[in-house]
Amino acid sequence: MNDLGEIRFVLAGVAEQLGSAYQHAGVARDRIADAVAVLDGLAPQHSEPLVPVELQRAAEELDRGLGFISGGAAVVADIDARL
């Protein structure tokens, strides 16, 4: 395999790993959203909020992470397209 072929091979692996990371982070984000919805549904029965601040922060960080992963995937695709 020549150098260009090796670079494309590595880029393909990176793209695959980024896709997998995006999928896993998306599943985690969906599960957090489900948990928040359940806790919000139970909230009227309780005097204090049931959704921990940390859970909201985790959802925000996952959203941010999904953006970073998308950006990384776009850069990898751009590099591959220019090769």
Side-chain angles (χ1 to χ4, degrees):
M1 188 180 304
N2 63 24
D3 289 341
L4 187 57
E6 288 178 37
I7 292 170
R8 284 201 160 133
F9 179 77
V10 170
L11 284 173
V14 170
E16 183 178 328
Q17 290 176 349
L18 285 168
S20 178
Y22 189 89
Q23 182 180 16
H24 289 296
V27 167
R29 180 62 180 94
D30 291 345
R31 289 187 179 161
I32 287 175
D34 291 344
V36 168
V38 168
L39 291 171
D40 278 341
L42 296 172
Q45 302 168 12
H46 297 276
S47 60
E48 296 182 21
L50 296 178
V51 179
V53 173
E54 295 82 8
L55 192 58
Q56 292 290 11
R57 273 194 234 133
E60 291 167 5
E61 286 300 314
L62 276 169
D63 286 339
R64 205 172 100 177
L66 286 165
F68 288 143
I69 293 168
S70 289
V75 169
V76 168
D78 184 53
I79 291 169
D80 188 49
R82 288 191 275 155
L83 292 178

